[in-house]
């Protein structure tokens, strides 16, 4: 179905950002505009998700230039899922940021940049043109640079330089890969590329190009040898920023990988083995990194790396059920990862620290918050029936069926280490007695006004309910993932929808 | 012409990566700039260098009859240059800020003790 509606969520965020420009110094007005903008964008994304579910693909050829000559926007099931997740997380984090960030950061234009970041994410999920994907990536990374570095102290600088350098390097590699791909095919449209790449006789060059894409997206999504910037950058910014980064930015790399390696390139044996090896190493290094860390934020940063391994593992298996598991895991991971970072932010408000040795007795002082936090933390592990359980079991089954036992071992080790560190966070931060008495000066949470407390807690509770809902009605989410996976395994539907039935 | 460009692209990439491995922040920045320009030249080169006319169809024709230059690589490079301007400007400001905070050009001086708070 051809529709202009596909641009609506993107334009909504751009519009919100521009309106925010006029209220540069007025913090309260900015907060209200941001919440309103996020809510409308969320409704638009929900509508788009419904339309994609009922009509199949949504496409838009900009300026009525037919593909492959014009710029295409396309939403399939995977895109629609990602767009809805982005809208949900950005709404939650947007509400959370109104209370958790200090005023000087908002005066620096936090909300303005935040909306541009979300706009870039939505654009990247919806574009059907590889060069446009690059441009949206740049919109996202330059926004993320600003969010990460504004108001930075020395400790933050080291992470920021690593982050900026690695992302710029990743962009150059991405651009190089696009250049070579254009050279061998003469097109930039993803659907058209899929047809042309299959005809290229020099398969060696195609494999090399596909691996360049893998390296570029691997830098963004933090896979094994390229992840070192993430733990040093993600534990320093305020928790609202870390939440949107941890939840969505790395997943954008995963999404781009899925798109490129299902539609454009059909991975050969060598690529699949490489994926499996990288997955094993990512899972193990990410898991080992969490073990000796005392700071909750650092543990969570390494867990992001560790769980990226699940996606790469699924891509290494390259079967339809593996893709079902990946899509389901994406749904679960985006929601839960951003939520755990928001919880770490609330813990900072309550105790001034996220160092596990100095935390304690949160369960006694804040029982209701602790139960919600437990729900979220344990759905990250995948205790049944919480949301992490189903995709993990699916992935284990599929790995077992494909007789890839090394990968299975790595997946199980990674899951056990996740369980171990989450239980440790629970017992250290929530359960044990606090090592020192909590005074009024330490506990900033009580000093928040009621509306501030609501803005901090409501998004966490909301996302926790969403992950509980995913776990309890896993059947419908399984159907959704199956639909997305079917489309990913049959790219000719995608190609037909972009180029028309004549192909 | 092609051979010259091939050598130039190789030189840009290799010197860019070499510069990025240095400890100095200025060299890091120069390395990133060289890499970006190398990528732009690569697109230009690999998009096919044709000595031909601009891709404009005369009113009396309805298709191209003579060799024409492909406009897409130029459009791509133009976009990429604009983006890399923005990124470079940001990186310069960031490095300037780091320099005023630490008072040193050496990236190793940033390695603070891992406090793990």
């Amino acid at each position: 179905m051809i529709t202009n509606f596909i641009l609506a969520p993107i334009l909504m965020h751009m519009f919100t950002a521009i309106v925010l420009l006029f209220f540069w110094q007025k913090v309260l007005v900015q907060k209200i505009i941001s919440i309103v903008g996020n809510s409308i964008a969320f409704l638009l994304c929900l509508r788009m998700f419904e339309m994609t579910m009922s009509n199949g693909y949504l496409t838009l050829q900009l300026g009525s230039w037919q593909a492959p000559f014009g710029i295409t926007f396309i939403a399939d099931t995977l895109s629609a899922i990602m767009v809805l997740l982005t809208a949900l997380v950005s709404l939650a984090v947007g509400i959370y940021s109104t209370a958790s960030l200090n005023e000087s950061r908002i005066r620096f234009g936090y909300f303005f940049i935040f909306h541009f970041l979300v706009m870039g994410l939505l654009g990247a999920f919806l574009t059907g043109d590889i060069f446009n994907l690059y441009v949206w990536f740049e919109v996202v990374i330059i926004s993320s640079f600003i969010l990460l570095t504004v108001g930075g102290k020395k400790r933050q600088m080291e992470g920021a330089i690593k982050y900026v350098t690695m992302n710029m390097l990743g962009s150059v590699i991405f651009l190089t890969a696009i250049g070579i791909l254009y050279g061998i095919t003469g097109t930039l449209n993803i659907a058209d590329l899929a047809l042309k790449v299959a005809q290229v006789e020099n398969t060696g060059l195609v494999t090399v190009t596909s691996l360049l894409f893998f390296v570029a997206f691997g830098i963004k999504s933090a896979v094994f040898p390229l992840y070192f910037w993430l733990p040093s950058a993600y534990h320093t910014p305020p928790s609202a920023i870390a939440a949107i980064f941890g939840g969505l930015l790395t997943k954008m790399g995963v999404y781009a990988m899925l798109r490129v390696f299902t539609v454009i390139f059909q991975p050969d044996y060598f690529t699949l083995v490489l994926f499996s090896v990288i997955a094993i190493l990512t899972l193990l290094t990410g898991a080992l990194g969490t073990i000796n860390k005392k700071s909750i934020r650092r543990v969570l940063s390494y867990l992001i790396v560790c769980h990226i391994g699940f996606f790469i593992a699924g891509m290494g298996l390259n079967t339809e059920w593996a893709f079902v598991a990946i899509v389901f895991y994406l749904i679960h991971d985006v929601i839960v990862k951003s939520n755990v970072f928001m919880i770490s932010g609330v813990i900072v408000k309550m105790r001034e620290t996220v160092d596990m040795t100095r935390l304690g007795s949160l369960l006694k002082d804040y029982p209701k918050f602790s139960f919600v936090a437990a729900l979220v933390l344990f759905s990250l592990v995948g205790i049944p029936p919480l949301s992490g359980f189903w995709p993990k079991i699916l992935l284990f089954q599929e790995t077992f069926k494909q007789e890839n036992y090394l990968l299975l071992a790595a997946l199980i080790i990674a899951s056990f280490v996740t369980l171990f560190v989450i239980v440790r966070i629970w017992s250290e931060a929530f359960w044990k007695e606090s090592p020192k008495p909590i005074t009024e000066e330490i506990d900033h949470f009580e000093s928040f006004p009621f509306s501030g407390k609501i803005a901090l807690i409501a998004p966490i509770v909301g996302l926790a309910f969403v992950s509980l809902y995913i776990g309890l009605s896993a059947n419908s989410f399984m159907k959704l993932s199956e639909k997305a996976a079917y489309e990913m395994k049959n790219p000719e539907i995608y190609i037909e929808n972009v180029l028309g039935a004549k192909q | 012409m092609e051979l010259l460009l091939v050598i130039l692209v190789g030189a840009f990439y290799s010197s860019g990566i070499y510069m990025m491995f240095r400890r100095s922040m200025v060299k890091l920045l120069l390395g990133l700039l060289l890499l970006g320009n190398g990528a732009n030249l690569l697109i230009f080169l690999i998009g096919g260098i044709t000595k031909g006319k601009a891709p404009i169809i005369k009113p009396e024709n309805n298709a191209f009859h003579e060799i024409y230059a492909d406009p897409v690589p130029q459009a791509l490079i133009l976009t990429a240059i604009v983006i890399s301007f923005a990124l470079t400007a940001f990186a310069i400001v960031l490095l300037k800020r780091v320099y005023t905070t630490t008072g040193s050009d050496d990236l190793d001086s940033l390695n603070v003790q891992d406090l793990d708070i």
Side-chain angles (χ1 to χ4, degrees), chain A residues 131 134-135 138 142 145-146 149 152 154-155 157-158 161 164-165 168-169 172 175-176 179-180 182-183 188 293-295 298 354-355 358, chain B residues 13 20 28 32 35 39-40 42-43 46 70 72-73 76 79-80 83 86-87 90 94-95 97-98 102 107 109-112 114 116-117:
Chain A
F131 192 76
Y134 167 77
V135 176
E138 297 302 308
I142 204 158
F145 288 172
I146 299 170
T149 53
K154 188 180 172 187
R155 205 163 58 84
M157 291 297 179
E158 187 206 355
I161 285 196
V164 169
T165 314
M168 283 174 80
L169 184 66
V172 169
L175 195 60
T176 310
I180 297 174
Y182 183 74
L188 291 165
K293 297 290 179 288
K294 287 200 219 92
S295 151
R298 271 184 185 268
V354 277
D355 187 343
R358 293 196 280 154
Chain B
Y13 270 87
M20 281 185 71
L28 173 74
L32 284 171
L35 270 179
N40 291 342
L42 180 82
I43 297 177
I46 216 161
D70 188 355
V72 178
L76 299 189
T79 317
I83 290 172
L87 287 178
F90 182 83
L94 176 68
L95 293 182
R97 183 70 213 272
V98 173
T102 62
L107 281 172
S109 66
L110 279 172
N111 285 346
V112 282
D114 197 354
D116 221 1
I117 54 158

Side-chain angles (χ1 to χ4, degrees), chain A residues 93 97 101 105-106 108-115 147 240-241:
Chain A
V93 176
S97 344
L101 288 173
R105 211 172 257 277
I106 295 174
F108 265 128
Y110 166 79
F111 282 114
F112 173 67
I113 301 296
F114 176 85
H115 283 282
L147 287 183
I241 297 172

Side-chain angles (χ1 to χ4, degrees), chain A residues 136-175:
Chain A
W136 290 118
F137 262 71
E138 297 302 308
V139 172
V140 171
I141 67 170
I142 204 158
S143 314
S144 68
F145 288 172
I146 299 170
L147 287 183
L148 194 66
T149 53
V150 161
K153 298 178 189 62
K154 188 180 172 187
R155 205 163 58 84
Q156 216 167 323
M157 291 297 179
E158 187 206 355
I161 285 196
K162 277 184 190 164
Y163 182 79
V164 169
T165 314
M166 280 312 277
N167 271 292
M168 283 174 80
L169 184 66
S171 305
V172 169
I173 296 172
F174 191 8
L175 195 60

Side-chain angles (χ1 to χ4, degrees), chain A residues 370-380 386 426 461 464-465 467-468:
Chain A
S370 300
F371 278 120
V372 176
L375 184 73
V376 176
L377 287 171
F378 285 98
S379 62
L380 189 64
L386 296 166
W426 176 252
V461 175
F465 270 116
S467 56
L468 191 65

